[in-house]
Every structure is written in C-alpha cells, then in structure tokens.
Amino acid sequence: MSSRHATLRRTFSAQFGAMPMWLVRAPGRVNLIGEHTDYNDGFVLPMAIDRDVRLALAPRTDRQVHVFSLNFQQHDRFSLDDLQLTTTSPWGNYLRGVAWALQGAGFELTGFDAVMEGNVPIGSGLSSSAATELATVTAFRALGNLTLDAVQAALLSQKAENDFVGVKCGIMDQYISSLGQAGHALLIDCRSLGFEAVPLPAGVQFVIADSTVRRGLVDSAYNERRAQCEEGARRLGVPALRDVSLAEFERRAPALPDLVAQRCRHVVAENERVLHSVAALRAGDVTAFGRDMDESHTSLRDLYAVSHPVLDTMVEVARAVPGCLGARLTGAGFGGCTVSLVVNACVPAVVDALQREVARRTGLTPQIYLSGAEAGAGIILGE
C-alpha cells in the first residue's frame, strides 16, 4: 500500500468512522508541443504525468456527497438534487459541476463520502482541475456502474468546467486525463476530437520545471490573441487557421496587419510543428523533436508574446546543458512551467542547473517534476 493510499485510508476513517471501499485517480498533464492551437481548430500533443488527484470513497444511502480535501483541509457537502456553485470551498465546484453534467446527460448518480488528495501543483499549468473532474467522474462511474466511455467522460468534464464552473477551457486537458496511455503521448485533433496514441522513445525523459510564477494570462490578453487569430482566418477566407499551410500563409501574410500576421504565423507554424513532431517520434528521431520544441518556444516568445523572462531563463539554462535536446514553455504562458526533453543520463545535470542557475539569475528556485507518460483516469482499488 502506498503512503498516499495509507494517508487517504486513515483520513477517511477519522472523518467518516469507516474504511473506504474504492480508490480512484486521474492524472494531470503536460503539453509537449502545440500551444494556442486548440482554439484555432488545430493539433496538440500532451501526455499524462505521474502526478494525480485521488479519491478514497464509500457510497451513501442518500443523495448527499460529502468530501474532505486533504490539500485544503476543508469539507464540501452538497445534494445531488440541489447543485449550486459554492464560494466557501471553490475546489468543490469541480465535483459539483461533474455531478451536474452527468445528471444532465441522464446518468443516475449515487451519493458518497470521500477524502480527496492531489499532488498536481495547483496553478502551475499542469491541469489539476481536469484531474479533479476526471477523478470525480471515475468515482461516480465506479459506484453507479455507469456505462460511459473515456471520450464521454472527458466531454462531460469539459462541460462541467465550461458551463458550471464557468472556465472556458478547451478539450485537451480532459482528453489526456481520461484517455492517456502509459508510454505514449496523445495527438488530439481539436476540430474533429479525433485522437491517436503516439509512442514515446526510450532513453529520454521529460523534465517539467515549475517557475513558481503564477500565470498572469488575464482574460483581456487571451481574448485579444483569440480575436487576432479569428481576424486572420477571416481575412484569409478560411474557417480556422488550421486550414492554411505555412507556405500559403507566407504568400498571403503581407495582406494582413503586422500584429495579426505575427499571431497567425505562430499558430500556422505550430500546427505543422506538432505533426512534424509526431512523425519524428514515430521514427525515433528525438533530435528532430527537440528542435521542434525549441522552435515552438521561440515562436511563443517572439510571435505570440506569451512568454515570461523567468520562463525564457529556464529554457536558456536547460538548453545549455549537454544532453538537453529541446526545451519550451508549456501551457498558456505568462508563467507556469517549462518542459525539457533530456537524455536519461543527463537528467541530474539539467535538474541541478535549473535549480542553481535559475535561482542565481532570477531569485526563484523552480520546482522540478520528472515524469514518464502515464495512463489516464481509472480505479486503483475497488470492492
């Protein structure tokens, strides 16, 4: 029994006077390449990481849900017959939203007692919210023997976040938390919602570094870039920027306003980089994939203008270490994390450089997470 499982069981017993019957989990994620392409109907390539959200739970005989969060040291209680947003325990809105979305889709739910704990760092851009949602779906599915597949689970979780919690996220986070496969990244077509597993080669590891700078992507900045992309697509006469090849874009870019052209150039090239990266990974060409990661960061910094000086420093420091094949910011930008592709033997040197040199140059010490590609949401133990 893992120490986390033991802690969940002890806490459950202390809170509810019994032992949990089920333990479920759902992972966070890191996006390897494909940034700000999702709302342009493009492609993304995330992988599920070994940090997750877990629920230890037992069914109730009424329609109440009672959850104690170890991370927040708070209780949240709600009725499945009266699902409302709460301001006293905002983390509980993700569970309430999932219940709302599942019942709206016609599923009959069973109430439960649960203890929730997660080690996905909150606010880092590694998707603790999607992990919470998919863990909750898995809990309801286990107790009620619900017949919904992993795609439905992801879509209903996204609906919960969009329409109940009120955060207009794309589908990537929920898809990878639900559909992740061990040893694989997941290529997602954000238009068709099609997906395919992409095997990750041996001999390399992804080093995730949390800058500890919390993202400052205010709604106005996000909406501005989205509007610029939409303007570019409109002027180019296409439904979305994913419908323009890079060669065609470069021919027609002079007709666009300069700033619109910059934003669109990033998105068009980033879509091509994702597909090129997938081909490189399938061929085992980690060097080519690393170059794509480097180019992605440069584009996000210079064309899309969503980087941050600390992120740029982290990328520069990682790249300077022999054995680092590529590095980039990951997520929306303006803070959060970087991800570096590193030869296994060189991982300790990259970690050491990130912690010492970034601290020397910025005054901040990044938090480092090493992870392979993990499986998506599921039941760990059940009766």
Side-chain angles (χ1 to χ4, degrees):
M1 182 188 303
S2 73
S3 60
R4 289 177 68 197
H5 185 196
T7 299
L8 281 166
R9 285 173 62 90
R10 284 195 304 270
T11 307
F12 191 96
S13 180
Q15 293 291 327
F16 302 110
M19 295 302 289
M21 298 172 63
W22 299 86
L23 179 64
V24 302
R25 61 169 286 281
R29 65 98 184 95
V30 63
N31 192 27
L32 301 180
I33 195 164
E35 228 63 78
H36 293 278
T37 51
D38 54 348
Y39 51 84
N40 289 291
D41 282 0
F43 303 96
V44 292
L45 187 70
M47 75 173 194
I49 60 175
D50 65 359
R51 290 180 168 261
D52 57 27
V53 170
R54 299 185 178 194
L55 285 169
L57 66 149
R60 293 176 62 100
T61 56
D62 55 19
R63 287 182 48 82
Q64 299 291 312
V65 174
H66 180 183
V67 183
F68 176 72
S69 166
L70 269 169
N71 298 82
F72 294 99
Q73 290 293 299
Q74 272 187 314
H75 293 266
D76 188 42
R77 300 175 177 86
F78 58 90
S79 167
L80 292 171
D81 297 316
D82 183 26
L83 293 166
Q84 305 289 334
L85 286 168
T86 175
T87 57
T88 55
S89 50
W91 55 269
N93 286 324
Y94 295 96
L95 291 90
R96 293 163 181 246
V98 165
W100 171 83
L102 286 169
Q103 290 189 148
F107 291 100
E108 293 289 333
L109 302 186
T110 298
F112 58 77
D113 294 322
V115 174
M116 183 172 73
E117 180 267 342
N119 62 2
V120 185
I122 296 169
S124 64
L126 299 179
S127 227
S128 59
S129 58
T132 300
E133 291 154 6
L134 267 302
T136 305
V137 171
T138 306
F140 280 122
R141 184 172 61 191
L143 293 182
N145 196 27
L146 306 183
T147 55
L148 76 163
D149 61 27
V151 170
Q152 284 179 292
L155 292 171
L156 288 171
S157 293
Q158 182 198 24
K159 183 176 180 61
E161 189 157 344
N162 287 176
D163 299 338
F164 188 89
V165 180
V167 177
K168 300 301 180 184
C169 63
I171 191 58
M172 174 176 67
D173 297 352
Q174 289 81 9
Y175 245 48
I176 186 60
S177 186
S178 185
L179 292 155
Q181 293 185 28
H184 294 72
L186 193 71
L187 174 64
I188 304 170
D189 181 332
C190 295
R191 170 177 284 168
S192 70
L193 301 184
F195 62 93
E196 58 181 287
V198 179
L200 295 172
V204 293
Q205 191 162 10
F206 292 100
V207 177
I208 305 163
D210 181 358
S211 68
T212 73
V213 176
R214 288 302 166 246
R215 293 168 297 168
L217 184 63
V218 295
D219 288 343
S220 59
Y222 175 87
N223 291 339
E224 177 187 63
R225 281 158 181 75
R226 187 162 186 158
Q228 289 163 339
C229 292
E230 290 170 353
E231 179 183 353
R234 185 173 63 253
R235 286 174 177 264
L236 293 169
V238 294
L241 291 176
R242 76 85 65 66
D243 298 302
V244 183
S245 70
L246 185 57
E248 180 184 0
F249 175 79
E250 293 299 353
R251 287 196 302 270
R252 301 179 63 186
L256 300 176
D258 288 346
L259 195 56
V260 169
Q262 285 185 34
R263 305 299 192 240
C264 294
R265 182 173 285 109
H266 162 73
V267 173
V268 173
E270 187 81 346
N271 275 320
E272 294 203 358
R273 277 190 288 270
V274 173
L275 298 179
H276 182 268
S277 293
V278 168
L281 287 170
R282 291 196 182 283
D285 190 346
V286 291
T287 301
F289 181 44
R291 285 196 300 268
D292 287 333
M293 293 176 69
D294 286 343
E295 290 175 6
S296 174
H297 182 81
T298 300
S299 181
L300 288 161
R301 181 191 66 203
D302 297 343
L303 297 178
Y304 221 67
V306 294
S307 192
H308 184 282
V310 175
L311 296 178
D312 294 338
T313 298
M314 290 164 60
V315 165
E316 182 181 334
V317 167
R319 287 177 182 170
V321 180
C324 178
L325 304 177
R328 61 184 291 274
L329 73 85
T330 182
F334 297 100
C337 292
T338 62
V339 59
S340 304
L341 177 64
V342 184
V343 174
N344 283 346
C346 302
V347 167
V350 170
V351 171
D352 182 65
L354 283 168
Q355 292 182 320
R356 288 189 303 103
E357 183 64 15
V358 173
R360 186 186 70 81
R361 292 168 58 174
T362 70
L364 298 174
T365 301
Q367 299 296 308
I368 307 297
Y369 311 111
L370 306 178
S371 181
E374 299 293 324
I379 298 168
I380 299 175
L381 290 173
E383 296 183 5

